Amino acid sequence: YDLRDEDLKDLNELGQGNGGSVKKVEHVPTHTIMAKKIVLIDAKPSVRKQILRELQIMHDCHSGYIISFYGAFLSDPNICICMEFMDKGSLDGIYKRIGPIDIEVVASVAHAVLEGLTYLYDVHRIIHRDIKPSNILCNSKGQIKICDFGVSGELINSIADTFVGTSTYMSPERIQGAQYTVKSDVWSLGISLIELALGRFPFSESASDDDSDLSEFEGTLSPSRPVPLETKKDKSKEGKRNRRKSKGVSLQGGGMTMSILELLQHIVNEPAPKLTPESRFPKMAEDFVNSCLLKDPDQRRTPKDLLNHEWIAHAQTTNFDLEAWASTF
Ligand code: ATP
Ligand code: MG
């Protein structure tokens, strides 16, 4: 594909993230439906060209577990990245629509993400760096693929500052300043799997506390929607009132910054979340998530190693019908 903006017809908007927006488009000359991600980059022309060069690696990424890439181009002041359109959208949207995801499906998600991560690392030495439900996509064929991986160092640099809100899937060692490794992606996978299975972000408040409070705190942390923490000292009514006051405070505001810091502190200092206490999940699933969420990266296994975990092996032998599942919503 020789992609030019004037050949792309906008169909509808698929979603917005911190870095930009994604539209469903048609490449008119070839009638190909694509997802076009528009990223606003405040950088010099030389840096933008560098980013474009780095993105070309995506042309060499061929895996059934990775979104395919059609091309990228500059469209001042944006960079447009055209990729495979996934008609069922991202897993965060799916669970928000249909509720907690069946654990059999979650097992298939774990398998797909591990395959994708292993491919990226073994073949291209790429670390994903942004595993979370909104970067795991599904289509009506029942395929599960990952997108938005960190191929371009320059792109990461250029938009890093605006990404405060996404740091909640970040591993304890990353929060403490250690280098990114494939094992940091494994942590993020563990958090994502709990989120899908419970139908809520694992660090958000528990339903048992006060139902009326729940809706406003549910979901992922984003600059517009802080997720204050359930901490022991914070459990009083007073704490609650204070947190409510800070809701909606802008990113620059003190209240918002505090709740992000609290969350990061919580990840570093408190025990990792688990698939229990719900205790309705297979032991294998619990065990898998626990091994993703070992706080010491030296003890945590790599994606390739985790492909041999019994839960993943089991998921492959049972061959759950994801196409049928995807046809239910
Ligand atoms: P963040 O900016 O914090 O990473 P995000 O991943 O939700 O959040 P984007 O990557 O801009 O932000 O994506 C926005 C939304 O667009 C996603 O949540 C997803 O639902 C949708 N989307 C992205 N890529 C595709 C695609 N290839 N096919 C279909 N939908 C997509
Ligand atoms: Mg994304």
Side-chain angles (χ1 to χ4, degrees), residues 194-211:
I194 300 182
E195 180 172 351
L196 299 177
L198 300 187
R200 63 174 178 85
F201 187 63
F203 295 110
S204 64
E205 286 199 84
S206 71
S208 58
D209 192 24
D210 180 351
D211 277 355

Side-chain angles (χ1 to χ4, degrees), residues 15 17-18 22 35 37 83-84 86 90 132 134-135 137 148 166:
N18 285 314
V22 181
K37 179 163 197 164
M83 57 188 154
E84 177 181 6
M86 297 289 277
S90 53
K132 55 182 176 181
S134 74
N135 288 336
L137 304 172
D148 290 350
T166 63

